[in-house]
């Protein structure tokens, strides 16, 4: 004693950090002396100062590593690793170069030319900022993990006790003293209990629903983390007792350090959401299409900027026009701008943000926007049991009292699932008619109890042990016996009125604390008559062993014989099999040593209470009175939610750290398993699952599955196997141990009430009420949002197809450019935005949760839908180019006069050959008016096809806007006619259409904006022409929808016929 590590110096065990034996030393399976020898320390003296420095050089500091995430520049560059973004970036750079070149033509042209590249650059910057902000949040889970570490520790070194030593300075082998309330600073082996009992709250790390008893006894080397009863884990909290421990692992080698590594590893492998994958695929296809069309545009128009003569059969005398080459290059840029739905990211973000608000109202707080969409295709929900499927509030569900004879018991079913005394009642109960036996049970449950219950935020919260709080709720439901004086308890705020009266009636003067050996707690009370009694509660088997009598219904006491003992044990077995935790009640009236005891420390009997080894003898010759069965009850609404999951094709898997029997009983009750179903192949412990040869086959079973006693690595493996099989996995969790799996899952769902900050930061969504049914509600909302997102994606893509068709037709026909990039940007970003966003408010289908979940690889746009929108797009192209040609070549159309403005008509051949205008003889053009402006071409008649096309461009743009507004009505339903789903089913869409038209009027009739966008005001007649040409898009899509419905019904009928023939 006092030699510290000197006595162990001959055998150098701790020599380097790479020493495998040291790293893997199973301290939990070695006795204290072996641990002392291995770590070269004595529990009495601790480590020598020079030894501390040597160990610190080997093991480093006791702190979690700082994982350097990607630099801010790396994150910024990553935002451009997207096909659509790269196309936009290229288009912006080219536009900027061309704008710089065109700037020589004058200031007015320069302003217009620079709007387009600046807007594109602004879009890219906003996109990058949002992306960097989201990815930066990923590291917060690791920061939250550090916050749960202890900052200081009481350590014995060189025979001296050091208080408040910084925890980061601990080294393996340090002797640490812990007491109630301390946070464990490292993984440690218990070497000595100072108190009679030691209990720790480690549920956040292991998933256990209650505080666990710890001791210094050896356990098996291959035991799971919950079974390491002699090991205290870093970050857990001492709730009862004090002890001496030996540090075995520090920093990243602790269990919490392993979680840190797993979170970091999981964050490295985060995948894109199903929608983002589809949009990336769409971007790649779009790149190819744009490339092909651009090449075609250049091939069609190469004759305009590159000419040559044939000499002896070979091309000679090449003439290249840089100006015309630049013009057609601008058309190619316009094509890229037209093909990309620039407004799509903003509309998707807006729709998802609105979805998060709706979900927040339903108690689901979404932390990451893409999660809203991913929820819609969830195929598997991996749920924790405690607090999610259950209330995480202990409640008595069965009370067993003694009957009129020794072999007779009375059983009462108790309703209620919370700590609210008014929640539920006792079946077959007569209030105020408590017989002597029930009075004794109520007295023991109320007085031999240290818990309390308080009202907080409209909820009832337990203070102290949950089981004791549940017993106090039982006492309130039992009520007071008839004639029991209650004059002082009339306030409505007195939640535990009955318990308070029992404690006033029976004054507690001493407490025999619970310990792990006798498994009971006792109190000595003083009744009004001055008589001392001992009231005891604890494990039923232990109380029966120390009982000699039983109390019957009338209060009479008879000997506890073999027959009555078996009757009680049989009742205990039935309750335990039903996953109830049972507590027995007993008392003792004969206390000769305490007859005159009043709680004074000077009394001779007080010495007996100072030594816990005396408690078992004091709690002997007891009279047994009854027992209660407690459980963490399932939430009332969970069964219905699981039934909804089954109807929706979503499998539910329960993964819990709790024991197998309890978990199975809960799963049967809530409908994961049928009551009489053989679940031997569906219910495994985490360890049994990891030993399976074919784990994926086990996970592919239809119906529910249960994994009990699961460790963090088990949860991660289950999620990983499911994802490899193509499942979209939602994982719930509340503890530190759940964080890696939450990070790895497609949707990580943390608990808002019971969840640790680590779990919340690692999650995608937080349940405000910790309720499983809220997940199902969120999935329903996610499906609805995805359905609506498909509607506006189809709408925006169809609009872009129309723009591409318009530009391609312009290039193919050789006519002047009808739509410039800045106008296309305006349409894509602003005009299309409100209707697309409003489509997100489409009412959900009534059978949305009766359809199987969509697979993550399901096509965003089917072949038929693509064909439909190709037809619509072709009409958009014909309409926008057609009205441009009509203005130049027709004086009237559909009876509408178009030459009131005085513009000159030309032939179609002249329009198509406008580039050769300078070679035409005697070509003259009249002036025309547009609003308050007069356009004259006396000096340069050929400018009629460049500067003079402003009215025709305005008509093309207005037709494009009008068609897209009408097309948004087509997007209300994929196949449903507007006759069955009229526009007013979504009034927001009508508001959005009005708003978009208003914006278009603003840029038309505000002179400055009209100049920026290169357009002019339109007359009433011209607006009539715009609407007349735009409206047919509705009729065309109605015909296409009719064909689609007919084809779908035909396929369904053929499928049914084939099935009938097979049968």
């Amino acid at each position: 004693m006092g030699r510290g590590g000197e006595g162990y110096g001959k055998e150098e065990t701790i020599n380097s950090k790479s020493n495998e034996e040291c790293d893997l030393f199973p301290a939990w399976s070695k006795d204290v002396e072996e641990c002392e020898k291995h770590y070269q320390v004595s529990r009495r003296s601790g480590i020598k100062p020079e030894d501390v420095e040597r160990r610190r050089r080997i093991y480093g500091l006791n702190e979690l590593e700082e994982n350097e995430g990607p630099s801010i520049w790396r994150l910024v560059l990553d935002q451009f690793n997207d096909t659509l973004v790269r196309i936009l970036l290229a288009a912006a750079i080219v536009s900027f170069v061309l704008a710089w070149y065109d700037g020589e033509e004058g200031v007015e042209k320069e302003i217009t030319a620079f709007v387009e590249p600046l807007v594109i650059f602004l879009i890219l910057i906003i996109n990058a900022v949002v992306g960097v902000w989201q990815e930066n949040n990923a590291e917060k889970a690791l920061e939250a993990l550090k916050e749960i570490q202890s900052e200081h520790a009481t350590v014995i070194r060189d025979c001296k006790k050091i208080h408040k030593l910084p925890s980061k300075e601990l080294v393996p082998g340090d002797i640490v003293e812990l007491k109630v309330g301390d946070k464990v600073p490292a993984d440690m082996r218990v070497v000595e209990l100072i108190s009679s009992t030691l209990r720790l709250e480690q549920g956040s790390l292991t998933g256990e629903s209650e505080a666990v008893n710890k001791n210094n006894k050896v356990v098996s080397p291959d035991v799971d983390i919950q079974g390491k009863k002699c090991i205290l884990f870093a970050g857990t909290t001492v709730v009862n007792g004090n002890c001496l421990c030996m540090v075995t692992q520090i920093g990243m080698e602790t269990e919490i350090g392993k979680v840190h590594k797993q979170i970091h590893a999981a964050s490295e492998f985060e995948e894109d959401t199903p929608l983002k994958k589809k949009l990336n695929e769409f971007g790649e296809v779009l790149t190819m299409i744009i490339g092909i069309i651009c090449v075609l545009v250049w091939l069609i128009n190469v004759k305009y900027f590159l000419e040559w003569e044939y000499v002896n059969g070979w091309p000679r005398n090449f003439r290249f026009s840089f100006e015309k080459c630049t013009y057609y290059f601008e058309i190619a840029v316009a094509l890229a701008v037209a093909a990309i739905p620039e407004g799509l990211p903003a509309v998707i973000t807006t729709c998802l943000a609105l979805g998060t608000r709706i979900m927040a109202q339903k108690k689901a707080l979404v932390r990451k926007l893409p999660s809203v969409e991913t929820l819609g295709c969830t195929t598997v929900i991996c749920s924790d049991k405690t607090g999610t499927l259950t209330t995480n509030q202990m409640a008595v569900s069965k009370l067993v009292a003694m009957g009129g004879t020794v072999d007779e018991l009375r059983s009462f079913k108790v309703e209620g699932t919370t700590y609210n005394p008014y929640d539920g009642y006792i079946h077959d109960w007569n209030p105020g008619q408590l017989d002597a036996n029930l009075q004794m049970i109520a007295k023991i449950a109320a007085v031999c109890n240290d818990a309390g219950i308080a009202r907080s935020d409209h909820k009832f919260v337990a203070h102290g042990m949950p089981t004791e709080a549940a017993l106090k709720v039982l006492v309130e439901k039992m009520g007071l016996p008839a004639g029991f004086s209650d004059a002082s308890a009339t306030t409505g705020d007195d939640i535990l009125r009955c318990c308070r009266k029992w404690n006033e009636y029976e004054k507690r003067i001493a407490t025999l604390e619970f310990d792990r050996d006798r498994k009971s707690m006792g109190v000595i009370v003083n009744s009004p008559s001055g008589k001392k009694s001992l009231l005891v509660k604890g494990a039923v088997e232990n109380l029966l062993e120390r009982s000699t009598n039983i109390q019957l219904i009338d209060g009479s006491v008879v000997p506890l014989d073999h027959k009555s003992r078996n009757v009680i044990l049989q009742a205990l077995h039935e309750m335990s099999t039903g996953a109830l935790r049972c507590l027995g009640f007993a008392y003792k009236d004969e206390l000769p040593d305490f007859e005159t005891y009043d709680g004074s420390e000077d009394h001779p009997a007080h010495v007996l209470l100072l030594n816990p080894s005396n408690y078992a003898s004091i709690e002997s010759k007891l009279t047994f009175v009854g027992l209660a069965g407690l459980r963490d009850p399932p939430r009332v609404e969970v069964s219905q939610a699981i039934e909804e999951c089954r109807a929706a094709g979503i499998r539910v898997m329960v993964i819990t750290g709790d024991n197998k029997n309890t978990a199975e009983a809960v799963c049967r009750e809530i409908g994961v398993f049928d009551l009489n179903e053989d679940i031997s192949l569906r219910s495994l412990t985490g360890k049994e699952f990891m030993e399976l040869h074919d784990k994926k086959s086990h996970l592919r079973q239809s119906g529910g599955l249960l994994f009990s006693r699961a460790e963090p690595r088990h949860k991660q493996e289950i999620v990983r196997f499911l994802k490899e099989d193509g499942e979209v996995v939602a994982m719930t969790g509340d503890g530190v141990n759940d964080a890696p799996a939450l990070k790895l899952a497609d949707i990580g769902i943390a608990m808002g009430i019971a969840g640790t900050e680590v779990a919340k930061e690692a999650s995608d969504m937080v349940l405000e009420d910790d309720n499983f049914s809220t997940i199902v509600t969120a999935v329903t909302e996610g499906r609805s949002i995805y359905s609506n997102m498909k509607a506006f994606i189809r709408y925006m893509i169809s609009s872009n197809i129309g723009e591409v068709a318009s530009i391609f037709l312009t290039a193919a026909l050789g006519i002047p450019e009808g739509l410039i990039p800045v106008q296309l940007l305006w349409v894509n970003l602003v005009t299309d935005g409100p209707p697309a966003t409003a489509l997100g408010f489409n009412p959900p289908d009534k059978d949305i949760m009766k359809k199987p979940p969509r697979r993550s690889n399901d096509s965003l746009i089917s072949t038929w839908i693509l064909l439909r929108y190709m037809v619509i797009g072709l009409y958009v192209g014909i309409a926008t180019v057609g009205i441009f040609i009509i203005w130049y070549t027709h004086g009237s159309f559909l009876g509408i006069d178009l030459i009131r403005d005085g513009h000159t008509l030309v032939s179609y051949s002249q329009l198509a050959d406008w580039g050769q205008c300078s070679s035409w003889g005697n070509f003259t053009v009249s002036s025309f008016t547009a609003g308050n402006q007069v356009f004259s071409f006396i000096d340069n008649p050929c400018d009629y096809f460049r500067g003079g096309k402003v009215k025709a461009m305005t008509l093309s743009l207005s037709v494009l806007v009008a068609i897209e507004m009408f097309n948004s009505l087509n997007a209300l339903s994929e196949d449903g006619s507007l006759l069955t789903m009229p526009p007013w089913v979504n009034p927001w869409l009508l508001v959005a259409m009005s708003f978009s038209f208003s914006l278009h009027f603003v840029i038309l009739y505000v002179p400055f904006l009209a100049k920026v966008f290169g357009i002019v005001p339109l007359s009433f007649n011209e607006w009539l022409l715009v609407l007349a040409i735009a409206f047919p898009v509705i009729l065309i899509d109605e015909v296409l929808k009719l064909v689609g419905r007919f084809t779908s019904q035909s396929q369904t009928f053929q499928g049914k016929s084939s099935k009938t023939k097979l049968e």
Side-chain angles (χ1 to χ4, degrees):
M1 186 169 168
R3 293 184 300 169
E6 296 172 19
Y8 303 99
K10 293 180 182 179
E11 185 180 346
E12 186 70 19
T13 307
I14 302 177
N15 48 22
S16 79
K17 194 170 182 177
S18 60
N19 187 320
E20 289 297 318
E21 182 186 356
C22 176
D23 287 349
L24 301 176
F25 181 70
W28 59 89
S29 65
K30 307 293 183 182
D31 60 32
V32 175
E33 287 70 25
E34 286 183 272
C35 292
E36 286 182 322
K37 184 177 180 181
H38 179 85
Y39 288 103
Q40 305 171 19
V41 68
S42 162
R43 77 187 89 166
R44 302 300 175 199
S45 57
I47 304 174
K48 291 285 185 181
E50 60 272 16
D51 208 15
V52 171
E53 292 305 318
R54 180 174 66 86
R55 296 180 192 220
R56 187 168 294 130
R57 284 195 299 273
I58 297 171
Y59 295 99
L61 293 173
N62 176 35
E63 58 185 7
L64 300 180
E65 289 177 0
E66 293 277 354
N67 284 311
E68 285 193 17
S71 68
I72 194 72
W73 293 114
R74 178 74 260 173
L75 289 175
V76 170
L77 289 175
D78 285 346
Q79 305 313 308
F80 293 88
N81 189 25
D82 180 279
T83 310
L84 290 179
V85 170
R86 286 199 293 265
I87 298 172
L88 263 183
L89 184 61
I93 292 170
V94 172
S95 295
F96 191 83
V97 171
L98 294 175
W100 189 272
Y101 169 76
D102 288 341
E104 297 173 7
E105 298 178 19
V107 175
E108 184 178 314
K109 172 67 177 175
E110 190 175 333
I111 292 172
T112 306
F114 276 106
V115 169
E116 176 203 328
L118 290 177
V119 170
I120 297 177
F121 280 128
L122 182 62
I123 294 167
L124 295 174
I125 290 168
I126 293 172
N127 179 67
V129 169
V130 172
V132 169
W133 176 75
Q134 284 187 334
E135 291 192 29
N136 233 8
N137 280 345
E139 299 305 311
K140 286 191 177 179
L142 301 180
E143 293 171 15
L145 197 61
K146 294 173 188 174
E147 292 178 6
I148 71 169
Q149 291 181 284
S150 173
E151 294 183 1
H152 299 95
T154 301
V155 185
I156 298 173
R157 285 182 179 170
D158 198 19
C159 300
K160 298 174 185 175
K161 186 179 289 188
I162 305 171
H163 296 279
K164 292 197 173 181
L165 179 82
S167 295
K168 68 178 183 179
E169 296 183 13
L170 290 176
V171 295
D174 258 326
I175 303 300
V176 177
E177 182 180 328
L178 293 173
K179 61 184 184 300
V180 174
D182 284 349
K183 196 172 279 187
V184 181
D187 283 5
M188 301 189 282
R189 192 341 177 157
V190 179
V191 294
E192 183 180 323
L193 292 183
I194 298 174
S195 60
S196 59
T197 183
L198 177 67
R199 300 174 70 232
L200 271 89
E201 175 53 64
Q202 62 179 37
S204 64
L205 185 65
T206 63
E208 290 159 297
S209 56
E210 294 184 342
V212 295
N213 290 309
K214 295 288 186 176
N215 54 50
N216 62 353
K217 294 179 181 177
V218 172
V219 294
S220 170
D222 60 350
V223 74
D224 57 20
I225 188 171
Q226 294 95 336
K228 295 177 181 177
K229 297 297 184 184
C230 58
I231 298 291
L232 310 187
F233 301 107
T236 60
T237 307
V238 180
V239 295
N240 177 252
N242 57 329
C243 63
L244 287 179
C245 301
M246 180 190 299
V247 175
T248 58
Q249 302 289 353
I250 63 170
M252 296 300 290
E253 300 306 313
T254 61
E255 289 296 328
I256 201 173
K258 293 174 185 175
V259 171
H260 184 282
K261 291 177 187 174
Q262 291 162 351
I263 292 175
H264 182 68
S267 64
E268 295 288 306
F269 294 100
E270 285 191 351
E271 295 182 356
D272 290 336
T273 66
L275 179 64
K276 185 164 174 50
K277 290 177 183 176
K278 289 295 160 196
L279 290 175
N280 286 342
E281 291 171 10
F282 169 71
E284 290 168 7
V285 173
L286 193 61
T287 306
M288 183 178 66
I289 293 172
I290 289 173
I292 292 171
I293 295 178
C294 282
V295 170
L296 286 174
V297 168
W298 272 59
L299 289 175
I300 291 169
N301 294 285
V302 70
K303 60 184 179 183
Y304 295 115
F305 58 84
L306 184 63
E307 298 177 357
W308 61 85
E309 296 175 358
Y310 285 95
V311 179
N312 298 325
W314 294 91
R316 294 284 190 276
N317 303 324
F318 288 95
R319 292 186 298 277
F320 177 73
S321 171
F322 183 73
E323 183 182 356
K324 290 183 178 179
C325 178
T326 304
Y327 172 76
Y328 287 107
F329 201 67
E330 286 178 339
I331 290 182
V333 172
L335 191 66
V337 172
I340 301 169
E342 293 90 352
L344 188 57
V347 175
I348 288 176
T349 300
T350 304
C351 183
L352 293 176
L354 291 171
T356 62
R357 292 186 62 185
I358 295 170
M359 288 186 177
Q361 293 168 3
K362 298 178 180 179
K363 308 293 186 183
L365 308 178
V366 177
R367 298 184 65 252
K368 298 175 184 176
L369 282 185
S371 307
V372 178
E373 175 267 325
T374 310
L375 272 167
C377 55
T378 299
T379 59
V380 177
I381 298 176
C382 296
S383 176
D384 192 14
K385 177 187 71 68
T386 306
T388 309
L389 299 174
T390 64
T391 62
N392 198 23
Q393 298 184 14
M394 294 299 288
V396 176
S397 62
K398 191 174 184 180
L399 175 63
V400 175
M402 307 312 295
T405 62
V406 293
D407 58 353
E408 181 187 346
L409 297 178
R410 294 174 293 159
S411 179
F412 300 93
K413 183 180 179 182
V414 185
E415 297 285 355
T417 59
T418 67
Y419 293 128
N420 181 355
Y422 309 105
D423 172 26
Y425 59 97
I426 304 174
H427 286 258
D428 304 319
W429 195 259
N430 294 318
Q433 302 299 313
L434 271 68
D435 53 61
N437 179 238
L438 292 175
Q439 286 184 42
M440 182 57 72
I441 291 174
K443 183 196 299 184
I444 297 170
V447 181
C448 186
N449 194 320
D450 291 325
I453 294 174
R455 189 183 277 111
S456 174
D457 296 330
H458 310 292
K459 292 180 292 187
F460 290 83
V461 180
H463 301 290
M465 292 299 298
T467 49
E468 292 192 332
L471 291 178
K472 286 206 167 179
V473 172
L474 172 67
V475 174
E476 297 305 311
K477 291 177 181 177
M478 294 174 75
L480 293 170
F484 204 92
S485 174
D486 192 30
S488 64
T490 57
T491 62
D493 293 333
D494 196 357
I495 301 168
L496 300 177
R497 178 177 61 90
C498 300
C499 292
R500 183 176 59 79
K501 288 305 298 179
W502 280 116
N503 277 279
E504 289 174 359
Y505 187 75
E506 299 281 352
K507 299 285 187 182
R508 188 200 295 198
I509 56 175
T511 302
L512 283 65
E513 304 243 352
F514 176 92
D515 68 44
R516 65 183 184 279
D517 293 322
R518 71 185 211 284
K519 295 182 179 177
S520 62
M521 168 192 175
V523 293
I524 298 174
V525 296
N526 190 11
S527 64
S529 63
K531 187 178 180 181
K532 307 297 187 295
S533 300
L534 173 67
L535 309 179
V536 185
K537 75 171 190 304
V540 178
E541 302 98 320
N542 293 55
L543 290 191
L544 283 174
E545 287 175 7
R546 301 201 301 274
S547 295
T548 54
N549 301 302
I550 57 173
Q551 183 194 52
L552 301 182
I553 189 171
D554 59 359
S556 59
V557 175
V558 298
L560 174 64
D561 57 19
H562 183 72
K563 186 176 182 181
S564 55
R565 185 187 301 272
N566 284 343
V567 170
I568 296 169
L569 289 174
Q570 178 62 32
L572 172 66
H573 176 73
E574 290 174 2
M575 293 165 73
S576 300
T577 304
L580 297 182
R581 182 181 176 189
C582 297
L583 285 177
F585 307 103
Y587 75 97
K588 181 179 180 180
D589 279 336
E590 301 299 325
L591 296 171
D593 293 331
F594 296 91
E595 281 299 324
T596 59
Y597 183 63
D598 58 0
S600 171
E601 294 183 4
D602 299 326
H603 194 282
H606 188 72
V607 179
L608 296 174
L609 299 174
L610 296 178
N611 187 355
S613 61
N614 295 324
Y615 292 174
S617 60
I618 297 172
E619 290 179 355
S620 61
K621 299 181 180 179
L622 300 173
T623 300
F624 190 85
V625 295
L627 63 153
L630 303 93
R631 64 171 181 161
D632 178 8
R635 293 179 180 270
V636 176
E637 60 277 11
V638 166
S639 295
Q640 178 62 32
I642 286 178
E643 188 56 42
E644 287 178 20
C645 284
R646 189 175 287 116
I650 300 171
R651 292 190 294 150
V652 176
M653 298 182 184
V654 180
I655 308 175
T656 178
D658 229 332
N659 73 71
K660 194 171 185 178
N661 289 339
T662 302
E664 287 180 351
V666 170
C667 286
R668 287 186 189 278
E669 188 170 350
I670 62 178
V672 175
F673 303 132
D674 292 335
L675 291 176
N676 300 313
E677 182 181 354
D678 178 12
I679 58 173
S680 56
L681 298 178
R682 294 182 177 276
S683 173
L684 301 177
T685 63
K687 187 177 179 182
E688 289 169 346
F689 171 74
M690 295 303 290
E691 291 171 352
L692 288 177
H693 176 68
D694 190 353
K695 300 178 181 66
K696 287 188 179 179
S697 292
H698 181 78
L699 294 173
R700 288 179 189 137
Q701 295 180 80
S702 60
L705 295 176
L706 168 64
F707 301 93
S708 49
R709 306 301 283 181
E711 296 181 24
R713 59 192 179 92
H714 301 152
K715 295 184 178 184
Q716 285 177 268
E717 286 298 291
I718 291 168
V719 171
R720 185 172 64 81
F721 284 130
L722 287 169
K723 289 183 71 175
E724 285 177 1
D725 245 12
E727 304 285 0
V728 178
V729 185
M731 162 68 79
T732 72
D734 55 8
V736 174
N737 63 325
D738 296 321
L742 291 176
K743 200 78 174 171
L744 190 61
D746 295 290
I747 298 288
I749 304 171
M751 303 298 111
I753 300 172
T756 59
E757 284 304 310
V758 181
K760 291 175 187 176
E761 291 295 347
S763 69
D764 303 292
M765 188 172 83
V766 178
L767 298 185
E768 201 174 332
D769 57 358
D770 291 12
N771 196 332
F772 179 84
S773 62
T774 304
I775 303 173
V776 181
T777 303
V779 170
T780 306
E781 196 62 41
R783 287 189 174 191
S784 175
I785 289 169
Y786 179 76
S787 177
N788 291 342
M789 283 171 68
K790 278 183 71 175
F792 66 65
I793 288 170
R794 290 196 305 269
Y795 161 64
M796 296 193 82
I797 289 174
S798 70
S799 299
N800 285 88
I801 291 173
E803 293 168 16
V804 170
S806 174
I807 292 171
F808 182 74
L809 285 174
T810 298
L813 296 174
I815 63 175
E817 185 183 15
L819 294 167
I820 60 176
V822 70
Q823 294 170 350
L824 294 172
L825 269 177
W826 173 260
V827 172
N828 288 351
L829 285 171
V830 182
T831 314
D832 283 355
T837 305
L839 287 169
F841 290 95
N842 280 353
D845 296 337
K846 292 180 180 179
D847 61 346
I848 197 163
M849 283 299 279
K850 293 181 181 176
K851 300 174 181 176
R854 62 184 174 89
R855 304 297 296 183
S856 57
N857 57 358
D858 280 355
S859 175
L860 190 64
I861 300 175
S862 67
T863 306
W864 166 244
I865 294 295
L866 181 61
L867 178 63
R868 238 174 71 186
Y869 285 114
M870 291 292 282
V871 173
I872 295 292
L874 184 60
Y875 178 75
V876 173
I878 292 170
T880 51
V881 173
I883 199 169
F884 186 94
I885 295 172
I886 288 168
W887 186 83
Y888 269 105
T889 61
H890 288 68
S892 66
F893 189 77
L894 298 177
I896 300 170
D897 184 11
L898 298 177
I899 55 173
R900 288 182 183 177
D901 58 3
H903 76 275
T904 302
L905 298 179
V906 297
S907 67
Y908 173 74
S909 59
Q910 285 179 308
L911 184 64
D913 200 28
W914 68 276
Q916 304 300 317
C917 172
S918 57
S919 63
W920 300 343
N922 302 318
F923 178 68
T924 58
V925 181
S926 305
S927 299
F928 71 88
T929 59
N932 296 323
Q933 300 178 64
V934 177
F935 291 85
S936 178
F937 309 96
I938 297 172
D939 297 332
N940 182 13
C942 290
D943 193 39
Y944 185 50
F945 298 106
R946 292 186 72 94
K949 68 180 180 179
V950 62
K951 176 67 75 71
M953 282 176 61
T954 305
L955 288 168
S956 285
L957 179 62
S958 298
V959 164
L960 180 62
V961 169
I963 285 180
E964 297 194 358
M965 293 305 101
F966 290 138
N967 197 26
S968 67
L969 296 176
N970 292 332
L972 271 171
S973 175
E974 189 169 322
D975 282 317
S977 168
L978 282 172
L979 297 175
T980 58
M981 195 169 185
W984 49 85
V985 299
N986 184 353
W988 289 106
L989 181 58
L990 299 178
V991 172
M993 289 172 62
S994 303
F995 181 67
S996 289
F997 266 126
S998 300
L999 290 174
H1000 186 62
F1001 290 147
V1002 168
I1003 67 168
L1004 275 179
Y1005 297 103
V1006 174
F1008 169 73
L1009 292 175
K1011 188 176 291 187
V1012 169
F1013 286 96
I1015 53 180
V1016 292
L1018 297 180
S1019 67
F1020 179 75
N1021 272 15
E1022 288 160 346
W1023 269 115
L1024 287 178
L1025 179 64
V1026 166
L1027 295 176
I1029 291 178
F1031 186 76
V1033 75
I1034 291 180
L1035 304 178
I1036 293 170
D1037 202 48
E1038 283 292 304
V1039 172
L1040 292 171
K1041 284 181 178 180
L1042 180 63
V1043 173
R1045 290 196 300 273
F1046 178 78
T1047 305
S1048 178
Q1049 290 171 1
S1050 177
Q1051 289 174 348
T1052 304
F1053 178 76
Q1054 288 176 1
K1056 288 181 179 178
S1057 299
S1058 301
K1059 187 176 179 181
T1060 305
K1061 288 177 182 178
L1062 286 171
E1063 290 175 351

